[in-house]
Amino acid sequence: MSQPETRIGRRFQALREEGRSGLVTFLTAGDPDPDTALEIFKGLPAAGADLIEVGVPFSDPMADGPAIQASSLRALKAGMTLSKTLDAVRAFREEDDDTPIIFMGYYNPFYIYGVDKFLEDAKGAGVDGFIVVDLPPEEEGEFCLPTTAAGMNFIYLTAPTTTDERLPRVLQNASGFVYFVSITGITGTRSANTDAVAGHVARIRNVTDLPVAVGFGIKTPEQVAEIAGIADAAVVGSALVNIIAENLDANDKPAAGTADKVLSLVSELAKGVRSAGT
Amino acid sequence: MNKLNTYRAGVDDDGHFGIYGGRYVAETLMPLILAVDKAWNEAKDDDDFWAEFNHYMKHYVGRPSPLYLATRLTEHLGGAKIYFKRDELNHTGAHKINNTIGQILLARRMGKRRIIAETGAGQHGVAAATVCALFGLPCIVYMGETDVERQAPNVFRMKLLGAEVRPVTSGTGTLKDAMNEALRDWVSNVEDTFYIIGTAAGPHPYPSMVRDFQCIIGNEVRNQIQEAEGRLPDSLVACLGGGSNAIGLFHPFLDDEDVRIIGVEAAGHGVETGQHCASLTGGRPGVLHGNRTYLLQTEDGQILDGHSISAGLDYPGIGPEHSWLRDTGRAEYVSVTDEEALEAFQLCTRMEGIIPALEPSHALAHVAKIAPDLSNDHIMVMNMCGRGDKDIFTVARHLGVGVNEE
């Protein structure tokens, strides 16, 4: 099928030309409050994030570990909504028209917003793609196909449990990149063995020419460098979210300099993708 | 909507009842869900599987459960003839065991060696722990922290049966969070684990599989009422949390057009207060826990916590088949408040010498509302799906009576 042309494809093309892998950051929109979150969001490209995943807060994040669950609840408590998340993207796009933005979340908030209206608003705001955890290819008619028709990418998750037999079905309507979930588990918990990940990445590359990003359990610049040696991008989420959690007072108000601390870890992680064996 | 030839054909191959149901799960789980689906499709066509199921239903659970004409209540209400389907007499005191026996037999067939379950009131947790003890499998039960505190006797029961009860503090620490946590466990233990879901909800094939196990209720009623009255009932009434006892009673009668079907949700303090669990009355369609169904949620699609005096009805969703039956109009759904359920609880206890669980007390409250206006030859069957021993402390608190819980 035809691949919608977005900032995601252009960014991976640029990375290929640069001869390195990319860093994908994940933070939850509105965590710990909308202003701090926007400050971090706007600082991500300069700190070295190549692609940005924006976590859409949801009350019941089934595939996430304690760190991202807590970030989602903090954001909701601070009044974050899907509409305000789109506002944040609009604000970001006033300053940056190149860095790809991917919404990552669960289907219900998108569904309740109304799929057609949401896709129109997201496209208008400057969103490039979606990772929707609870939409496997079996439910592609719901959101994946309309997303692609609207000119954005639908990024599929593949897991160690995805068999060779199933993989082509999962990737049939994938675009943008493929997100390999490196462990059988939830976000921010254990880390995968690099050799095992390399095997799975090779399996995916046998089926598709799309770039492959690896996430779940990647926390340090060293781990980023290792993954950068075998995949097109490394995704870091919980480790960044944890910096926010560590800098909150008893009322979930961030200490001064919280945004800088998050961005400084992003800079460290960015060195990881630049140091990997090229 | 066009009239359907049958209401019993669902689900379709992809797990949908109309627009409801489906398989909204993470890719890591998808291969496992497909494996359960495949195993279930083979098992349900296998006479040996059902022979084993029926063996345990008869000799371990104590089925068939009686269909009892509640004479004094019938006289008291002065209208319809009221029968109780006595599923509270099952081993472990509720209908939940019908499902856990079925699912553990499937888990064994699939060679799974570790069982997980979620529970709210603890009835499903006890039923899961029971069948794990029966077959010597380790059992981990996820239970919201709030529920662990308010359902101490069932927590102890599960522990006695050898289960590990893991209190869930994530989210709001209630049944929906327990289900989230069980799904997180499953995604982390994909090789050896089978997830015994407690109601007719979740990703396909769970809603139809759990229904098929619970249909033993309605199938028995068909035979028993024929024997007692020589005809089918005029109406069926059952309470709904997730809706497994109700679908078990309703499903065998869906194509009998003259049988009126009524599901009773928990209105808590009243649907208008927002403090309730009446998903079909006060919710709207959304996607959670692997299926599309009516959910209590905000304008932004965030899931709300329900409230009910009955912990077993305290879930913000409902089985997808009920959503479909509601939209097609084949079944009607009403709601009953905490207060009304408490009154019905006491009425039944004094009038029939049966202490009902707070869950069927909701169904009973609706029976008490409509029965007086029906004629004496109207036959009504209500599912007495659980016994009330577990609820006596809650009831005592609400009646302002001191009972030592220690």
PDB file of all heavy atoms in Angstrom, chain A residues 20-24 50 194 214 217-237 239 265-266 268-277:
ATOM      1  N   ARG A  20      23.413   7.405  11.339  1.00  0.00           N
ATOM      2  CA  ARG A  20      23.214   7.007  12.739  1.00  0.00           C
ATOM      3  C   ARG A  20      21.753   6.647  12.996  1.00  0.00           C
ATOM      4  O   ARG A  20      20.874   6.890  12.172  1.00  0.00           O
ATOM      5  CB  ARG A  20      23.643   8.130  13.676  1.00  0.00           C
ATOM      6  CG  ARG A  20      22.761   9.369  13.618  1.00  0.00           C
ATOM      7  CD  ARG A  20      23.130  10.344  14.738  1.00  0.00           C
ATOM      8  NE  ARG A  20      22.344  11.570  14.640  1.00  0.00           N
ATOM      9  CZ  ARG A  20      21.187  11.777  15.272  1.00  0.00           C
ATOM     10  NH1 ARG A  20      20.682  10.846  16.047  1.00  0.00           N
ATOM     11  NH2 ARG A  20      20.532  12.913  15.128  1.00  0.00           N
ATOM     12  N   SER A  21      21.522   6.078  14.202  1.00  0.00           N
ATOM     13  CA  SER A  21      20.161   5.758  14.632  1.00  0.00           C
ATOM     14  C   SER A  21      19.574   6.947  15.367  1.00  0.00           C
ATOM     15  O   SER A  21      20.294   7.875  15.751  1.00  0.00           O
ATOM     16  CB  SER A  21      20.177   4.539  15.540  1.00  0.00           C
ATOM     17  OG  SER A  21      20.620   3.418  14.805  1.00  0.00           O
ATOM     18  N   GLY A  22      18.271   6.897  15.579  1.00  0.00           N
ATOM     19  CA  GLY A  22      17.576   8.013  16.196  1.00  0.00           C
ATOM     20  C   GLY A  22      17.211   7.763  17.647  1.00  0.00           C
ATOM     21  O   GLY A  22      17.117   6.613  18.099  1.00  0.00           O
ATOM     22  N   LEU A  23      17.000   8.851  18.370  1.00  0.00           N
ATOM     23  CA  LEU A  23      16.493   8.773  19.736  1.00  0.00           C
ATOM     24  C   LEU A  23      15.028   9.207  19.727  1.00  0.00           C
ATOM     25  O   LEU A  23      14.693  10.295  19.263  1.00  0.00           O
ATOM     26  CB  LEU A  23      17.291   9.686  20.671  1.00  0.00           C
ATOM     27  CG  LEU A  23      16.740   9.803  22.100  1.00  0.00           C
ATOM     28  CD1 LEU A  23      16.843   8.478  22.844  1.00  0.00           C
ATOM     29  CD2 LEU A  23      17.464  10.912  22.875  1.00  0.00           C
ATOM     30  N   VAL A  24      14.181   8.332  20.256  1.00  0.00           N
ATOM     31  CA  VAL A  24      12.755   8.649  20.394  1.00  0.00           C
ATOM     32  C   VAL A  24      12.469   8.832  21.880  1.00  0.00           C
ATOM     33  O   VAL A  24      12.796   7.946  22.680  1.00  0.00           O
ATOM     34  CB  VAL A  24      11.863   7.515  19.839  1.00  0.00           C
ATOM     35  CG1 VAL A  24      10.393   7.914  19.889  1.00  0.00           C
ATOM     36  CG2 VAL A  24      12.288   7.131  18.429  1.00  0.00           C
ATOM     37  N   ASP A  50      15.183  12.921  18.393  1.00  0.00           N
ATOM     38  CA  ASP A  50      14.971  12.932  16.939  1.00  0.00           C
ATOM     39  C   ASP A  50      13.497  12.778  16.576  1.00  0.00           C
ATOM     40  O   ASP A  50      13.047  13.312  15.567  1.00  0.00           O
ATOM     41  CB  ASP A  50      15.784  11.798  16.303  1.00  0.00           C
ATOM     42  CG  ASP A  50      17.282  12.008  16.502  1.00  0.00           C
ATOM     43  OD1 ASP A  50      17.795  13.046  16.050  1.00  0.00           O
ATOM     44  OD2 ASP A  50      17.925  11.151  17.149  1.00  0.00           O
ATOM     45  N   THR A 194      20.352  -7.830  24.505  1.00  0.00           N
ATOM     46  CA  THR A 194      20.572  -7.205  23.192  1.00  0.00           C
ATOM     47  C   THR A 194      20.627  -8.220  22.047  1.00  0.00           C
ATOM     48  O   THR A 194      20.110  -7.959  20.959  1.00  0.00           O
ATOM     49  CB  THR A 194      21.871  -6.372  23.213  1.00  0.00           C
ATOM     50  OG1 THR A 194      21.826  -5.525  24.357  1.00  0.00           O
ATOM     51  CG2 THR A 194      21.994  -5.521  21.971  1.00  0.00           C
ATOM     52  N   VAL A 214      13.126   0.360  18.797  1.00  0.00           N
ATOM     53  CA  VAL A 214      13.013  -0.609  19.890  1.00  0.00           C
ATOM     54  C   VAL A 214      12.738   0.153  21.181  1.00  0.00           C
ATOM     55  O   VAL A 214      13.396   1.162  21.454  1.00  0.00           O
ATOM     56  CB  VAL A 214      14.311  -1.437  20.033  1.00  0.00           C
ATOM     57  CG1 VAL A 214      14.238  -2.360  21.250  1.00  0.00           C
ATOM     58  CG2 VAL A 214      14.564  -2.244  18.764  1.00  0.00           C
ATOM     59  N   GLY A 217      12.025  -0.811  28.563  1.00  0.00           N
ATOM     60  CA  GLY A 217      13.184  -1.239  29.359  1.00  0.00           C
ATOM     61  C   GLY A 217      14.504  -0.583  28.980  1.00  0.00           C
ATOM     62  O   GLY A 217      15.558  -1.001  29.444  1.00  0.00           O
ATOM     63  N   ILE A 218      14.487   0.452  28.121  1.00  0.00           N
ATOM     64  CA  ILE A 218      15.732   1.142  27.749  1.00  0.00           C
ATOM     65  C   ILE A 218      15.844   2.403  28.605  1.00  0.00           C
ATOM     66  O   ILE A 218      14.986   3.284  28.527  1.00  0.00           O
ATOM     67  CB  ILE A 218      15.747   1.501  26.252  1.00  0.00           C
ATOM     68  CG1 ILE A 218      15.558   0.229  25.414  1.00  0.00           C
ATOM     69  CG2 ILE A 218      17.061   2.203  25.877  1.00  0.00           C
ATOM     70  CD1 ILE A 218      15.380   0.501  23.939  1.00  0.00           C
ATOM     71  N   LYS A 219      16.881   2.468  29.450  1.00  0.00           N
ATOM     72  CA  LYS A 219      16.924   3.519  30.469  1.00  0.00           C
ATOM     73  C   LYS A 219      18.180   4.377  30.439  1.00  0.00           C
ATOM     74  O   LYS A 219      18.172   5.521  30.883  1.00  0.00           O
ATOM     75  CB  LYS A 219      16.817   2.877  31.860  1.00  0.00           C
ATOM     76  CG  LYS A 219      15.495   2.168  32.102  1.00  0.00           C
ATOM     77  CD  LYS A 219      15.599   1.187  33.278  1.00  0.00           C
ATOM     78  CE  LYS A 219      14.331   0.353  33.355  1.00  0.00           C
ATOM     79  NZ  LYS A 219      14.478  -0.814  34.203  1.00  0.00           N
ATOM     80  N   THR A 220      19.305   3.832  29.980  1.00  0.00           N
ATOM     81  CA  THR A 220      20.586   4.543  30.114  1.00  0.00           C
ATOM     82  C   THR A 220      21.185   4.850  28.746  1.00  0.00           C
ATOM     83  O   THR A 220      20.841   4.211  27.745  1.00  0.00           O
ATOM     84  CB  THR A 220      21.592   3.657  30.877  1.00  0.00           C
ATOM     85  OG1 THR A 220      21.861   2.492  30.065  1.00  0.00           O
ATOM     86  CG2 THR A 220      21.042   3.218  32.229  1.00  0.00           C
ATOM     87  N   PRO A 221      22.129   5.827  28.706  1.00  0.00           N
ATOM     88  CA  PRO A 221      22.833   6.118  27.446  1.00  0.00           C
ATOM     89  C   PRO A 221      23.532   4.873  26.893  1.00  0.00           C
ATOM     90  O   PRO A 221      23.576   4.672  25.674  1.00  0.00           O
ATOM     91  CB  PRO A 221      23.853   7.186  27.847  1.00  0.00           C
ATOM     92  CG  PRO A 221      23.256   7.853  29.051  1.00  0.00           C
ATOM     93  CD  PRO A 221      22.513   6.784  29.780  1.00  0.00           C
ATOM     94  N   GLU A 222      24.033   4.015  27.788  1.00  0.00           N
ATOM     95  CA  GLU A 222      24.723   2.791  27.344  1.00  0.00           C
ATOM     96  C   GLU A 222      23.750   1.860  26.630  1.00  0.00           C
ATOM     97  O   GLU A 222      24.061   1.299  25.573  1.00  0.00           O
ATOM     98  CB  GLU A 222      25.364   2.065  28.539  1.00  0.00           C
ATOM     99  CG  GLU A 222      26.514   2.818  29.205  1.00  0.00           C
ATOM    100  CD  GLU A 222      26.072   4.049  30.004  1.00  0.00           C
ATOM    101  OE1 GLU A 222      24.932   4.058  30.552  1.00  0.00           O
ATOM    102  OE2 GLU A 222      26.858   5.032  30.069  1.00  0.00           O
ATOM    103  N   GLN A 223      22.549   1.699  27.250  1.00  0.00           N
ATOM    104  CA  GLN A 223      21.544   0.826  26.610  1.00  0.00           C
ATOM    105  C   GLN A 223      21.101   1.427  25.269  1.00  0.00           C
ATOM    106  O   GLN A 223      20.906   0.705  24.293  1.00  0.00           O
ATOM    107  CB  GLN A 223      20.322   0.650  27.527  1.00  0.00           C
ATOM    108  CG  GLN A 223      20.608  -0.262  28.719  1.00  0.00           C
ATOM    109  CD  GLN A 223      19.444  -0.260  29.710  1.00  0.00           C
ATOM    110  OE1 GLN A 223      18.874   0.788  30.003  1.00  0.00           O
ATOM    111  NE2 GLN A 223      19.099  -1.428  30.212  1.00  0.00           N
ATOM    112  N   VAL A 224      20.967   2.759  25.245  1.00  0.00           N
ATOM    113  CA  VAL A 224      20.597   3.425  23.992  1.00  0.00           C
ATOM    114  C   VAL A 224      21.651   3.139  22.922  1.00  0.00           C
ATOM    115  O   VAL A 224      21.329   2.799  21.777  1.00  0.00           O
ATOM    116  CB  VAL A 224      20.438   4.951  24.205  1.00  0.00           C
ATOM    117  CG1 VAL A 224      20.355   5.680  22.867  1.00  0.00           C
ATOM    118  CG2 VAL A 224      19.196   5.247  25.044  1.00  0.00           C
ATOM    119  N   ALA A 225      22.912   3.229  23.311  1.00  0.00           N
ATOM    120  CA  ALA A 225      23.995   2.986  22.350  1.00  0.00           C
ATOM    121  C   ALA A 225      23.936   1.547  21.827  1.00  0.00           C
ATOM    122  O   ALA A 225      24.110   1.296  20.627  1.00  0.00           O
ATOM    123  CB  ALA A 225      25.344   3.270  23.001  1.00  0.00           C
ATOM    124  N   GLU A 226      23.670   0.614  22.726  1.00  0.00           N
ATOM    125  CA  GLU A 226      23.585  -0.795  22.301  1.00  0.00           C
ATOM    126  C   GLU A 226      22.455  -1.002  21.300  1.00  0.00           C
ATOM    127  O   GLU A 226      22.618  -1.659  20.270  1.00  0.00           O
ATOM    128  CB  GLU A 226      23.326  -1.700  23.509  1.00  0.00           C
ATOM    129  CG  GLU A 226      24.584  -2.100  24.254  1.00  0.00           C
ATOM    130  CD  GLU A 226      24.271  -3.116  25.344  1.00  0.00           C
ATOM    131  OE1 GLU A 226      23.363  -3.967  25.140  1.00  0.00           O
ATOM    132  OE2 GLU A 226      24.919  -3.047  26.403  1.00  0.00           O
ATOM    133  N   ILE A 227      21.279  -0.446  21.628  1.00  0.00           N
ATOM    134  CA  ILE A 227      20.126  -0.592  20.731  1.00  0.00           C
ATOM    135  C   ILE A 227      20.387   0.144  19.416  1.00  0.00           C
ATOM    136  O   ILE A 227      20.038  -0.348  18.330  1.00  0.00           O
ATOM    137  CB  ILE A 227      18.830  -0.071  21.402  1.00  0.00           C
ATOM    138  CG1 ILE A 227      18.465  -0.934  22.614  1.00  0.00           C
ATOM    139  CG2 ILE A 227      17.670  -0.024  20.402  1.00  0.00           C
ATOM    140  CD1 ILE A 227      18.187  -2.398  22.317  1.00  0.00           C
ATOM    141  N   ALA A 228      21.047   1.303  19.499  1.00  0.00           N
ATOM    142  CA  ALA A 228      21.351   2.073  18.289  1.00  0.00           C
ATOM    143  C   ALA A 228      22.240   1.275  17.344  1.00  0.00           C
ATOM    144  O   ALA A 228      22.223   1.486  16.134  1.00  0.00           O
ATOM    145  CB  ALA A 228      22.010   3.400  18.655  1.00  0.00           C
ATOM    146  N   GLY A 229      23.002   0.335  17.911  1.00  0.00           N
ATOM    147  CA  GLY A 229      23.859  -0.503  17.072  1.00  0.00           C
ATOM    148  C   GLY A 229      23.090  -1.539  16.273  1.00  0.00           C
ATOM    149  O   GLY A 229      23.613  -2.088  15.301  1.00  0.00           O
ATOM    150  N   ILE A 230      21.866  -1.811  16.671  1.00  0.00           N
ATOM    151  CA  ILE A 230      21.116  -2.881  15.987  1.00  0.00           C
ATOM    152  C   ILE A 230      19.785  -2.453  15.400  1.00  0.00           C
ATOM    153  O   ILE A 230      19.179  -3.183  14.627  1.00  0.00           O
ATOM    154  CB  ILE A 230      20.860  -4.083  16.942  1.00  0.00           C
ATOM    155  CG1 ILE A 230      20.162  -3.612  18.226  1.00  0.00           C
ATOM    156  CG2 ILE A 230      22.160  -4.795  17.266  1.00  0.00           C
ATOM    157  CD1 ILE A 230      19.782  -4.748  19.149  1.00  0.00           C
ATOM    158  N   ALA A 231      19.300  -1.250  15.783  1.00  0.00           N
ATOM    159  CA  ALA A 231      17.983  -0.818  15.288  1.00  0.00           C
ATOM    160  C   ALA A 231      18.072   0.610  14.768  1.00  0.00           C
ATOM    161  O   ALA A 231      19.090   1.283  14.950  1.00  0.00           O
ATOM    162  CB  ALA A 231      16.949  -0.912  16.399  1.00  0.00           C
ATOM    163  N   ASP A 232      17.014   1.085  14.139  1.00  0.00           N
ATOM    164  CA  ASP A 232      17.017   2.433  13.565  1.00  0.00           C
ATOM    165  C   ASP A 232      16.735   3.513  14.593  1.00  0.00           C
ATOM    166  O   ASP A 232      17.014   4.683  14.353  1.00  0.00           O
ATOM    167  CB  ASP A 232      15.984   2.512  12.431  1.00  0.00           C
ATOM    168  CG  ASP A 232      16.313   1.516  11.334  1.00  0.00           C
ATOM    169  OD1 ASP A 232      17.345   1.704  10.678  1.00  0.00           O
ATOM    170  OD2 ASP A 232      15.570   0.530  11.173  1.00  0.00           O
ATOM    171  N   ALA A 233      16.159   3.110  15.718  1.00  0.00           N
ATOM    172  CA  ALA A 233      15.905   4.088  16.771  1.00  0.00           C
ATOM    173  C   ALA A 233      15.697   3.369  18.100  1.00  0.00           C
ATOM    174  O   ALA A 233      15.305   2.196  18.132  1.00  0.00           O
ATOM    175  CB  ALA A 233      14.676   4.932  16.448  1.00  0.00           C
ATOM    176  N   ALA A 234      15.988   4.093  19.192  1.00  0.00           N
ATOM    177  CA  ALA A 234      15.749   3.580  20.538  1.00  0.00           C
ATOM    178  C   ALA A 234      14.741   4.506  21.212  1.00  0.00           C
ATOM    179  O   ALA A 234      14.828   5.727  21.079  1.00  0.00           O
ATOM    180  CB  ALA A 234      17.054   3.556  21.332  1.00  0.00           C
ATOM    181  N   VAL A 235      13.790   3.907  21.921  1.00  0.00           N
ATOM    182  CA  VAL A 235      12.743   4.683  22.588  1.00  0.00           C
ATOM    183  C   VAL A 235      12.987   4.671  24.098  1.00  0.00           C
ATOM    184  O   VAL A 235      13.165   3.602  24.686  1.00  0.00           O
ATOM    185  CB  VAL A 235      11.337   4.094  22.325  1.00  0.00           C
ATOM    186  CG1 VAL A 235      10.259   5.032  22.872  1.00  0.00           C
ATOM    187  CG2 VAL A 235      11.136   3.814  20.846  1.00  0.00           C
ATOM    188  N   VAL A 236      13.009   5.860  24.701  1.00  0.00           N
ATOM    189  CA  VAL A 236      13.148   5.941  26.158  1.00  0.00           C
ATOM    190  C   VAL A 236      11.951   6.699  26.711  1.00  0.00           C
ATOM    191  O   VAL A 236      11.625   7.798  26.228  1.00  0.00           O
ATOM    192  CB  VAL A 236      14.447   6.663  26.563  1.00  0.00           C
ATOM    193  CG1 VAL A 236      14.574   6.695  28.095  1.00  0.00           C
ATOM    194  CG2 VAL A 236      15.658   5.965  25.952  1.00  0.00           C
ATOM    195  N   GLY A 237      11.285   6.101  27.706  1.00  0.00           N
ATOM    196  CA  GLY A 237      10.112   6.737  28.293  1.00  0.00           C
ATOM    197  C   GLY A 237      10.175   6.799  29.802  1.00  0.00           C
ATOM    198  O   GLY A 237      10.337   7.864  30.390  1.00  0.00           O
ATOM    199  N   ALA A 239      12.321   6.202  32.064  1.00  0.00           N
ATOM    200  CA  ALA A 239      13.476   6.845  32.711  1.00  0.00           C
ATOM    201  C   ALA A 239      13.295   8.362  32.747  1.00  0.00           C
ATOM    202  O   ALA A 239      13.671   9.019  33.727  1.00  0.00           O
ATOM    203  CB  ALA A 239      14.765   6.487  31.968  1.00  0.00           C
ATOM    204  N   LEU A 265      18.904  14.672  30.855  1.00  0.00           N
ATOM    205  CA  LEU A 265      18.980  13.223  30.593  1.00  0.00           C
ATOM    206  C   LEU A 265      18.791  12.955  29.090  1.00  0.00           C
ATOM    207  O   LEU A 265      19.465  12.080  28.523  1.00  0.00           O
ATOM    208  CB  LEU A 265      17.944  12.441  31.418  1.00  0.00           C
ATOM    209  CG  LEU A 265      17.913  10.923  31.160  1.00  0.00           C
ATOM    210  CD1 LEU A 265      19.269  10.268  31.397  1.00  0.00           C
ATOM    211  CD2 LEU A 265      16.845  10.222  31.991  1.00  0.00           C
ATOM    212  N   VAL A 266      17.896  13.706  28.454  1.00  0.00           N
ATOM    213  CA  VAL A 266      17.709  13.523  27.004  1.00  0.00           C
ATOM    214  C   VAL A 266      19.040  13.758  26.279  1.00  0.00           C
ATOM    215  O   VAL A 266      19.425  12.990  25.386  1.00  0.00           O
ATOM    216  CB  VAL A 266      16.603  14.470  26.463  1.00  0.00           C
ATOM    217  CG1 VAL A 266      16.537  14.404  24.930  1.00  0.00           C
ATOM    218  CG2 VAL A 266      15.244  14.107  27.061  1.00  0.00           C
ATOM    219  N   GLU A 268      22.047  13.357  27.452  1.00  0.00           N
ATOM    220  CA  GLU A 268      22.923  12.199  27.705  1.00  0.00           C
ATOM    221  C   GLU A 268      22.542  11.024  26.797  1.00  0.00           C
ATOM    222  O   GLU A 268      23.397  10.363  26.223  1.00  0.00           O
ATOM    223  CB  GLU A 268      22.790  11.750  29.172  1.00  0.00           C
ATOM    224  CG  GLU A 268      23.383  12.726  30.189  1.00  0.00           C
ATOM    225  CD  GLU A 268      24.869  12.963  29.927  1.00  0.00           C
ATOM    226  OE1 GLU A 268      25.610  11.963  29.816  1.00  0.00           O
ATOM    227  OE2 GLU A 268      25.266  14.145  29.808  1.00  0.00           O
ATOM    228  N   LEU A 269      21.224  10.789  26.727  1.00  0.00           N
ATOM    229  CA  LEU A 269      20.745   9.675  25.901  1.00  0.00           C
ATOM    230  C   LEU A 269      21.077   9.918  24.436  1.00  0.00           C
ATOM    231  O   LEU A 269      21.423   8.980  23.693  1.00  0.00           O
ATOM    232  CB  LEU A 269      19.228   9.509  26.070  1.00  0.00           C
ATOM    233  CG  LEU A 269      18.736   9.145  27.485  1.00  0.00           C
ATOM    234  CD1 LEU A 269      17.219   9.346  27.588  1.00  0.00           C
ATOM    235  CD2 LEU A 269      19.105   7.706  27.848  1.00  0.00           C
ATOM    236  N   ALA A 270      21.019  11.193  24.026  1.00  0.00           N
ATOM    237  CA  ALA A 270      21.299  11.539  22.626  1.00  0.00           C
ATOM    238  C   ALA A 270      22.750  11.227  22.280  1.00  0.00           C
ATOM    239  O   ALA A 270      23.062  10.866  21.141  1.00  0.00           O
ATOM    240  CB  ALA A 270      20.977  13.007  22.377  1.00  0.00           C
ATOM    241  N   LYS A 271      23.629  11.344  23.262  1.00  0.00           N
ATOM    242  CA  LYS A 271      25.029  10.958  23.009  1.00  0.00           C
ATOM    243  C   LYS A 271      25.110   9.472  22.697  1.00  0.00           C
ATOM    244  O   LYS A 271      25.954   9.025  21.925  1.00  0.00           O
ATOM    245  CB  LYS A 271      25.899  11.275  24.238  1.00  0.00           C
ATOM    246  CG  LYS A 271      26.186  12.760  24.405  1.00  0.00           C
ATOM    247  CD  LYS A 271      27.006  13.000  25.674  1.00  0.00           C
ATOM    248  CE  LYS A 271      26.948  14.486  26.049  1.00  0.00           C
ATOM    249  NZ  LYS A 271      27.288  14.707  27.477  1.00  0.00           N
ATOM    250  N   GLY A 272      24.200   8.714  23.349  1.00  0.00           N
ATOM    251  CA  GLY A 272      24.164   7.261  23.112  1.00  0.00           C
ATOM    252  C   GLY A 272      23.933   6.924  21.648  1.00  0.00           C
ATOM    253  O   GLY A 272      24.593   6.042  21.098  1.00  0.00           O
ATOM    254  N   VAL A 273      22.986   7.623  20.993  1.00  0.00           N
ATOM    255  CA  VAL A 273      22.729   7.292  19.574  1.00  0.00           C
ATOM    256  C   VAL A 273      23.847   7.804  18.676  1.00  0.00           C
ATOM    257  O   VAL A 273      24.034   7.305  17.568  1.00  0.00           O
ATOM    258  CB  VAL A 273      21.378   7.832  19.027  1.00  0.00           C
ATOM    259  CG1 VAL A 273      20.228   6.990  19.510  1.00  0.00           C
ATOM    260  CG2 VAL A 273      21.160   9.298  19.349  1.00  0.00           C
ATOM    261  N   ARG A 274      24.580   8.812  19.178  1.00  0.00           N
ATOM    262  CA  ARG A 274      25.652   9.364  18.339  1.00  0.00           C
ATOM    263  C   ARG A 274      26.969   8.613  18.507  1.00  0.00           C
ATOM    264  O   ARG A 274      27.843   8.704  17.662  1.00  0.00           O
ATOM    265  CB  ARG A 274      25.820  10.864  18.639  1.00  0.00           C
ATOM    266  CG  ARG A 274      24.675  11.674  18.012  1.00  0.00           C
ATOM    267  CD  ARG A 274      24.509  13.060  18.599  1.00  0.00           C
ATOM    268  NE  ARG A 274      23.446  13.802  17.923  1.00  0.00           N
ATOM    269  CZ  ARG A 274      22.152  13.717  18.232  1.00  0.00           C
ATOM    270  NH1 ARG A 274      21.762  12.937  19.217  1.00  0.00           N
ATOM    271  NH2 ARG A 274      21.253  14.409  17.560  1.00  0.00           N
ATOM    272  N   SER A 275      27.073   7.854  19.624  1.00  0.00           N
ATOM    273  CA  SER A 275      28.330   7.124  19.869  1.00  0.00           C
ATOM    274  C   SER A 275      28.294   5.706  19.325  1.00  0.00           C
ATOM    275  O   SER A 275      29.298   5.027  19.264  1.00  0.00           O
ATOM    276  CB  SER A 275      28.600   7.064  21.376  1.00  0.00           C
ATOM    277  OG  SER A 275      27.651   6.190  21.983  1.00  0.00           O
ATOM    278  N   ALA A 276      27.080   5.253  18.953  1.00  0.00           N
ATOM    279  CA  ALA A 276      26.948   3.850  18.542  1.00  0.00           C
ATOM    280  C   ALA A 276      27.789   3.569  17.312  1.00  0.00           C
ATOM    281  O   ALA A 276      28.000   4.435  16.474  1.00  0.00           O
ATOM    282  CB  ALA A 276      25.476   3.537  18.250  1.00  0.00           C
ATOM    283  N   GLY A 277      28.255   2.342  17.240  1.00  0.00           N
ATOM    284  CA  GLY A 277      29.159   1.913  16.176  1.00  0.00           C
ATOM    285  C   GLY A 277      28.628   2.239  14.787  1.00  0.00           C
ATOM    286  O   GLY A 277      27.671   1.635  14.323  1.00  0.00           O
TER     287      GLY A 277
END
